[in-house]
Amino acid sequence: MTVNELNAIISSSKKAVFFGGAGVSTESGIPDFRSPDGIYMSKQKYPPETMLSHTFFMEHTEDFWDFYRNMLYCPDVKPNAAHFKLAELEKAGKLTAVVTQNIDGLHSAAGSKNVYELHGSALRNYCMKCGKFYTADEVMSVNGIPECSCGGIIKPDVVLYEEALDDDIVSGALNAISNADTLIVAGTSLTVYPAAGFIRYFGGENLILINRDKTAMDSAFSHIIHGKVGEIMEKIKL
Ligand code: APR
């Protein structure tokens, strides 16, 4: 698929939805997970999927926070061309929703209003005892386990392995996808469920994949562009 063809599809869409993963934020300087330079490729004491599980958080809370602060927190990152173009497309009435697996908050920072954060947000942290909210800066600026003023342990508002996705976010995302006329999937290896299974709810005309590398589900797509999503989205004309 060429960028001109992508342009033509987007200009004729009225209810496009964007479904993105970590590859949407790499051009903002945030590493993805499974690429050669990804977070999961770094040498750690335990396998990364173990360290990002609910059990590990509960049983090795300090090790969890050390890994999370060092590997998943990227202060001072800014939205890139992909985030900004999606916000413009929403404003122009072309795009109805962004569904993201990312926890970096960059879609909202770029101005997107209807964003479904399937895996939560690193910008939100809550006390497990009293529910008090804490910002990322507050929990990242301390060493060890961040504690609430009530003495409770603070947990990031992100979906860890073994944890369920938020029901309202799931139904909102699935509703948007099933009503879409165009679904643009980008920057994801489509290897983590249930998120990767969401694209099965799309019944519209144009199922598009924009991804740097091949994915496990390339054959499911009617249109594919292999490349950098920020560079490609920047060429989309409103
Ligand atoms: N443009 C387009 N594609 C890119 C870019 C880019 N600039 N940078 C990386 N990619 C692609 C890679 O080729 C890869 O296929 O993005 C994909 C990123 O895949 P993963 O690292 O597996 O990230 P993701 O699919 O978002 O992972 C899903 O796994 O561990 C969980 O919760 C975590 O949300 C995450 C989930």
Side-chain angles (χ1 to χ4, degrees), residues 20-24 26-27 32-35 40 49 52 101-102 119 159 161 186-192 210-215 227-230:
V24 180
T26 54
E27 291 162 79
D32 66 15
F33 294 96
R34 297 175 180 83
S35 291
Y40 290 173
E49 274 98 334
L52 289 175
Q101 300 170 87
N102 299 345
H119 295 160
V159 180
Y161 283 99
T188 176
S189 59
L190 290 170
T191 47
V192 172
I210 304 175
N211 209 60
R212 192 192 58 208
D213 304 323
K214 277 176 75 59
T215 72
K228 295 175 81 169
V229 60

Side-chain angles (χ1 to χ4, degrees), residues 64-81:
F64 170 89
W65 272 106
D66 288 348
F67 176 71
Y68 183 80
R69 273 195 197 93
N70 294 329
M71 304 303 285
L72 273 93
Y73 180 55
C74 303
D76 320 322
V77 287
K78 300 262 178 297
N80 62 55

Side-chain angles (χ1 to χ4, degrees), residues 28 52 66 80 84 90 103-104 106 110 115 124 135 138-139 146 154 159 177 197 203 220 234:
S28 293
L52 289 175
D66 288 348
N80 62 55
F84 286 121
E90 181 186 53
I103 60 173
D104 55 37
L106 290 181
V115 182
R124 299 188 300 265
T135 66
E138 285 175 302
V139 295
I154 299 172
V159 180
I177 291 172
E234 196 158 31

